[in-house]
Amino acid sequence: MSAESHPTLPPVRLHSDAELARDALGAPLFARAVRLARWAGPETRVGVGGELAADQLPGAAAHLGLDADDKDAAGYAGQAWRVAVDTGLVDVTEPEEDTGAGGAGEAGGEPYGTAAPGEDLALVTGGAPADVLGLWRGG
């Protein structure tokens, strides 16, 4: 078969990195992850693997403006938290294996670690579009 017998696709205009980064920042899950990264602080408790402590999910959901009566609100907050952790928007210190002295703390007998905004959070507002897209791809 010759090349002339194959149909050709028309040219398309691809979006610029800046446009793609703007769209990435507007994606609901990523936007929620950024908001939770800004919310993270000294009182934020995490379990093994960096998951947000269950008793903090309602507060995270409220910070995101999710309806407290929505049975899925805590799940949405948990998903956003996972994206924040996985992309480096949040840095976590996991609980120590030994819950004795030196551990981050205990809540209800369970050891917990802590979380804080990560270094990559600064890329959201101060990075190049490629930096934002790198974070989004990481999610």
Side-chain angles (χ1 to χ4, degrees), residues 39-131:
W39 170 78
E43 299 300 315
T44 307
R45 295 185 317 277
V46 298
V48 176
E51 76 277 359
L52 196 58
D55 64 337
Q56 295 209 297
L57 285 171
H63 180 75
L64 295 174
L66 300 173
D67 184 0
D69 294 331
D70 183 352
K71 63 181 175 65
D72 295 324
Y76 295 145
Q79 289 172 338
W81 181 260
R82 176 54 40 206
V83 170
V85 170
D86 289 348
T87 58
L89 296 172
V90 169
D91 288 335
V92 298
T93 303
E94 291 192 32
E96 298 289 329
E97 292 282 330
D98 177 12
T99 60
E106 291 187 29
E110 293 292 320
Y112 66 87
T114 58
E119 288 182 20
D120 288 345
L121 182 57
L123 296 175
V124 171
T125 56
D131 295 328

Side-chain angles (χ1 to χ4, degrees), residues 24-36 64:
L25 290 171
L29 182 57
F30 192 70
R32 288 176 179 159
V34 169
R35 289 180 66 194
L36 287 181
L64 295 174

